[in-house]
Structures are given as C-alpha cells and as structure tokens.
C-alpha cells in the first residue's frame, strides 16, 4: 500500500489472494493496480472492433458474436479485479477464463455443423459452464476450473489446426497468412511470459484472442 496521508483505498482493504508486481494504489486511490486495469481495456476494445467488423458481414447470427462478448467479459471482469484487488472480483477474474474459452470452443467444434447440432453443443457447453461457475463460487476450488480451462484450450488448438488444414490449400497464401498469425501469437505468448504482471491465465487468454482472429479474420 503506497497511499499517503489520510487517503484510504476507495474499494476498501485488499482481500484478494493474488497480488501482482505493480505497487498498490500508486497512481490513485480509485485503482489498486492502475496499469493492469488499463491493459484490460484492450480486451474490450478488441471485442468492440471485432463485433463492428462482424456486423458488416451478411447473415451474422447471435452465436457468431458470442466469442467477442466473452472477450469483452474478460476485459471487464479482469479490470474489476485489478482496480479493487477484492476477493470476489478475483473470482470474476478466474471465471473470465472460462467466459472466453467456452464460446470459442463452441465455435471451433461447430464450424461445419448443422444448426441443430450447433444448438445442442451450445446447450451442453453452456450447462457445463454454468455448473462449473456455481461450483467454483460455492467451494472456491480451482482444480476442476483449471482442468476445464486447459482442456478447452487444448481442444481449441486441435480443432483450429484441423480447420486451417481443411479450409486452405497446402502452400496457399491464405494458409501462410494464417500460420503467420499463429506464429505471431505464439511469439507474443513467449515474450509475455517473461513480464512480471502476466500470469499464465492472461497469456492463454491472449492465445484465445488470436484464435478468434484466425476464425473471423
């Protein structure tokens, strides 16, 4: 805590289990981690940018917008955590990982599916997500949360590679561009891994960003 004088944190005492390298309340009493809060605005901006360009395309259904809405939820939830360092907003930050991966998981699993199958997969994934959220909030247990997240990221990676190979010709410019995006994303992850303020969860969320870009770009 670096506030001086009679100033007290606007959000009350810090109750979160996690605290990052940034000094608490260094800039203002209204933001515990000012820089980390600002960086999460990028997720919201990217989501708005993606939605804007998606809506320029014809016949875009609601399900196509869900990954971007999930990404927006990530930015908002994580910003709330870093601005307050509150235990309950930390839970929101934890859950935002699943808010991001689940819509993208649905998208890659149903890319070529019929509307009926798409709906069924959406109901199954949505019900699973809801059950995990309730369980996490009641028990504050992270094992199932982590397993679901890692499993989702793995499946997204496998299905995305299959989609790239199925929808582009070997040696084509389109395939080179997509794999270039993948390499750029991987490099971004490796570089970010060395930044003190980047947790593995945040780095993987960046990976999901590039997954959304590869699907809708």
């Amino acid at each position: 805590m670096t506030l001086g004088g009679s100033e007290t944190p606007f959000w009350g005492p810090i109750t979160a289990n996690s605290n990052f390298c940034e000094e608490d309340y260094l800039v203002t009493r209204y933001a515990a981690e000012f820089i980390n809060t600002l960086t999460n605005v990028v997720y919201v901006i990217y989501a708005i940018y993606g939605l804007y360009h998606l809506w320029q395309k014809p016949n875009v259904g609601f399900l196509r917008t869900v990954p971007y809405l999930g990404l927006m939820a990530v930015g908002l939830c994580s910003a709330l955590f870093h601005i307050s360092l509150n235990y309950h907003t930390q839970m929101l930050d934890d859950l935002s990982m699943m808010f991001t991966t689940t819509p993208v998981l649905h998208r890659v699993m149903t890319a070529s599916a019929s509307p009926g199958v798409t709906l069924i997969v959406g109901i199954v994934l949505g019900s699973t997500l809801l059950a995990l959220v309730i369980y996490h909030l009641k028990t504050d247990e992270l094992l199932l949360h982590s397993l679901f997240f890692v499993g989702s990221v793995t499946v997204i990676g496998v299905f995305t590679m299959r989609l790239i190979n199925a929808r582009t010709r070997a040696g084509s410019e389109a395939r080179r561009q997509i794999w270039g995006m993948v390499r750029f994303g991987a490099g971004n992850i490796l570089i970010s891994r060395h930044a003190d303020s980047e947790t593995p969860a945040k780095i993987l969320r960046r990976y999901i960003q590039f997954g959304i870009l590869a699907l809708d770009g």
Side-chain angles (χ1 to χ4, degrees):
M1 188 78 63
T2 58
L3 288 176
S6 59
E7 286 188 296
T8 57
F10 177 80
W11 303 99
I14 294 172
T15 57
N17 294 328
S18 300
N19 200 334
F20 300 94
C21 63
E22 187 177 345
E23 290 189 62
D24 301 334
Y25 292 102
L26 179 64
V27 177
T28 171
R29 64 185 290 261
Y30 297 102
E33 294 180 343
F34 185 78
I35 300 301
N36 276 332
T37 301
L38 282 184
T39 56
N40 281 285
V41 176
V42 175
Y43 291 105
V44 179
I45 294 173
Y46 180 87
I48 294 172
Y49 172 84
L51 287 170
Y52 172 78
H53 282 275
L54 191 62
W55 287 332
Q56 308 306 309
K57 301 177 182 179
N59 303 319
V60 174
F62 173 74
L63 290 177
R64 290 286 301 278
T65 68
V66 172
Y68 291 106
L69 295 176
L71 195 62
M72 189 180 297
V74 166
L76 294 174
C77 291
S78 192
L80 282 173
F81 166 55
H82 288 291
I83 202 172
S84 65
L85 288 183
N86 181 274
Y87 173 75
H88 293 97
T89 56
Q90 180 185 341
M91 277 196 166
L92 281 178
D93 190 43
D94 291 339
L95 293 173
S96 68
M97 292 188 289
M98 294 191 290
F99 294 159
T100 314
T101 53
T102 304
V104 180
L105 179 62
H106 177 267
R107 180 74 195 283
V108 298
M109 291 180 68
T110 60
S112 302
S114 66
V117 171
T118 299
L119 179 61
I120 292 172
V121 173
I123 292 173
V124 171
L125 288 177
S127 300
T128 303
L129 175 61
L130 179 61
L132 285 170
V133 167
I134 293 173
Y135 180 74
H136 179 61
L137 291 175
K138 283 184 172 292
T139 65
D140 194 23
E141 193 272 339
L142 285 173
L143 179 60
L144 286 179
H145 167 275
S146 301
L147 289 175
F148 179 80
F149 179 68
V150 172
S152 297
V153 170
T154 302
V155 173
I156 288 169
V158 171
F159 272 75
T160 300
M161 287 188 286
R162 288 180 179 176
L163 285 170
I164 292 173
N165 291 331
R167 296 188 175 188
T168 59
R169 295 192 307 273
S172 66
E173 181 63 24
R175 181 175 292 192
R176 283 196 295 271
Q177 288 179 353
I178 292 174
W179 281 115
M181 290 164 56
V182 172
R183 286 192 292 271
F184 176 75
N188 184 272
I189 290 169
L190 291 174
I191 293 171
S192 298
R193 184 66 185 88
H194 297 287
D196 291 337
S197 62
E198 292 283 358
T199 64
K202 284 187 178 181
I203 294 166
L204 285 170
R205 286 202 294 259
R206 287 192 179 199
Y207 169 79
I208 299 300
Q209 275 185 294
F210 287 103
I212 296 174
L213 182 61
L215 285 167
D216 280 323

